[in-house]
Amino acid sequence: MKAFLFTCMLVPWLVAASARRFDQDSQLIPGSLPGRELNGYISDNLKSRRARRALPPTEEPDYTPVPEGADVIDLPTCLLCVCLTGSVYCEEVSPDMTTVPTLPKETAYLYARFNKIKKISNKDFADIVTLKRIDLTGNLISEIEDGAFSKLSLLEELSLAENRLVKLPMLPAKLTSFNANHNRLKTKGVKANAFKKLTKLYNLFLADNQLEAVPHIPESVRILHLQNNNITEVSKDTFCRSNDTYYLRLSLNEVRLDGNPVVLSKYPDSFTCMKVLPIGKYR
C-alpha cells in the first residue's frame, strides 16, 4: 500500500520536472522553437529583412512594410534596404531604384546590385568619405560624372560590371580592385592615364567590352582580364619596356586576351619581361 502511494506521488513530480527542464532548455538555446513555430519565425524574419530601419542599438528594429505604390525616391534608404553597422544592402529593390540612395554618413560598404540606377552624379557620394567598397553590378548606368568618386580617398573596391558605360570617370587612387566587365567601353572612352596613378591596383577586369587596344597597366596589377574585346595588336611597350632589356614584370600573374582578334604569336617580343604568357589566340 505504501509503495502504491509513493508511486502516485512520484509520477506527477517527474512529469512536472521534465516540463520545467524543457522550458529551461528552450531558454538556454537562442531562437529555439518547436518545429512549426521555428519555420514560421524564419519565414517571417526573412520576409522582413528589406523593411528594416537603421536605429540605435538600444531600440528595436521597425519592420514596417514598404507601402504599396510608394515612390522609391520618397522612402528612407533603410526602409528600402538592409542597413547594418557600416553596410547598406540594396539589391533588387522593389519598387525600382533608379538613383543612388541617400546613405548613412558612416557607410563603408554599399551593395546596390541589380537595380535600375541610370546615372551617378558628383553629389551621390560627396558626403560619404568612409566608403571602402561600392558594388553597382547589374544596373543601367550609362553616365558617371567625372568627379563622382573623387572624394572617396578610402575606396578600395569598385564594381561597375554589367552596366552601359561608354567611358570611365576619374578613379580613386587607393583602388585595389576595379571591375568594369560587360559594359560598352571603347578605347576612346578610357583616358590614357585612367589607371596610371592607381599604384595599389591588384585586379583589373575590363572583359566583354569594345576596347581596341590594351590600356596602360600599372606595375601593381596581378590579374588582368581583357577577353572578348576588339584588341587587334600588342606593342612592345604594352607590358614591357622596349628600351630596357633587363626589365621584368613579376607581379603580373594572369593576363587574359582570349576572344580578341589579335594573334599573339605575331608579337613575341612583347612578352619577354613577363613570367607568364597571355591567354589568347596564337594561331
Side-chain angles (χ1 to χ4, degrees):
M1 188 65 172
K2 290 181 179 180
F4 176 76
L5 290 173
F6 178 76
T7 302
C8 291
M9 296 173 63
L10 181 62
V11 171
W13 181 83
L14 289 174
V15 172
S18 297
R20 285 197 300 273
R21 179 62 182 273
F22 178 80
D23 290 341
Q24 290 172 358
D25 288 347
S26 295
Q27 292 173 4
L28 289 172
I29 303 173
S32 60
L33 294 171
R36 291 185 179 179
E37 293 180 31
L38 177 60
N39 290 336
Y41 172 80
I42 293 174
S43 177
D44 292 344
N45 189 44
L46 289 175
K47 288 178 182 178
S48 65
R49 285 181 64 193
R50 284 193 178 154
R52 294 180 185 174
R53 291 180 186 271
L55 296 172
T58 56
E59 299 183 33
E60 289 295 322
D62 184 351
Y63 296 107
T64 306
V66 176
E68 290 188 11
D71 189 335
V72 67
I73 297 175
D74 300 329
L75 295 172
T77 298
C78 293
L79 181 62
L80 291 165
C81 310
V82 176
C83 294
L84 303 175
T85 304
S87 300
V88 177
Y89 299 84
C90 301
E91 302 191 352
E92 297 181 276
V93 171
S94 180
D96 293 341
M97 177 177 285
T98 58
T99 59
V100 175
T102 302
L103 301 174
K105 294 273 186 179
E106 72 281 3
T107 302
Y109 305 97
L110 170 64
Y111 303 89
R113 299 180 293 191
F114 308 111
N115 291 295
K116 294 185 179 179
I117 298 171
K118 299 177 181 178
K119 179 182 177 180
I120 301 176
S121 68
N122 290 339
K123 64 180 181 179
D124 287 335
F125 301 114
D127 299 325
I128 316 298
V129 295
T130 52
L131 277 165
K132 294 181 179 180
R133 180 184 300 162
I134 297 175
D135 192 341
L136 294 166
T137 299
N139 279 276
L140 304 175
I141 301 169
S142 59
E143 181 183 356
I144 301 177
E145 293 184 3
D146 206 40
F149 305 115
S150 61
K151 295 184 179 180
L152 304 183
S153 60
L154 300 179
L155 193 68
E156 297 178 351
E157 298 180 36
L158 175 61
S159 178
L160 301 170
E162 298 176 42
N163 278 282
R164 300 178 178 181
L165 292 172
V166 295
K167 68 176 183 177
L168 293 180
M170 186 182 301
L171 299 171
K174 289 188 177 181
L175 277 186
T176 61
S177 181
F178 178 66
N179 189 339
N181 286 346
H182 293 278
N183 275 277
R184 301 172 181 177
L185 295 171
K186 294 185 177 182
T187 296
K188 65 180 180 180
V190 180
K191 295 178 181 178
N193 61 347
F195 308 110
K196 190 173 183 178
K197 296 182 180 180
L198 307 187
T199 58
K200 296 184 178 181
L201 189 67
Y202 296 146
N203 302 322
L204 179 56
F205 304 113
L206 296 169
D208 295 278
N209 280 283
Q210 300 171 29
L211 298 172
E212 298 91 0
V214 178
H216 175 85
I217 308 301
E219 292 288 331
S220 57
V221 171
R222 299 173 183 173
I223 298 177
L224 173 64
H225 284 187
L226 288 164
Q227 66 269 32
N228 302 323
N229 276 280
N230 294 324
I231 298 170
T232 56
E233 62 178 338
V234 178
S235 73
K236 291 182 180 180
D237 293 312
T238 299
F239 300 108
C240 303
R241 298 174 183 172
S242 58
N243 61 348
D244 186 353
T245 56
Y246 295 98
Y247 171 72
L248 294 176
R249 190 162 195 152
L250 299 176
S251 59
L252 201 54
N253 294 324
E254 180 182 319
V255 181
R256 288 194 59 180
L257 284 166
D258 45 308
N260 284 280
V262 61
V263 179
L264 297 175
S265 59
K266 293 182 178 180
Y267 308 94
D269 296 335
S270 299
F271 315 120
T272 54
C273 67
M274 300 168 62
K275 62 180 181 180
V276 295
L277 286 174
I279 298 169
K281 182 169 65 174
Y282 283 88
R283 291 183 181 180

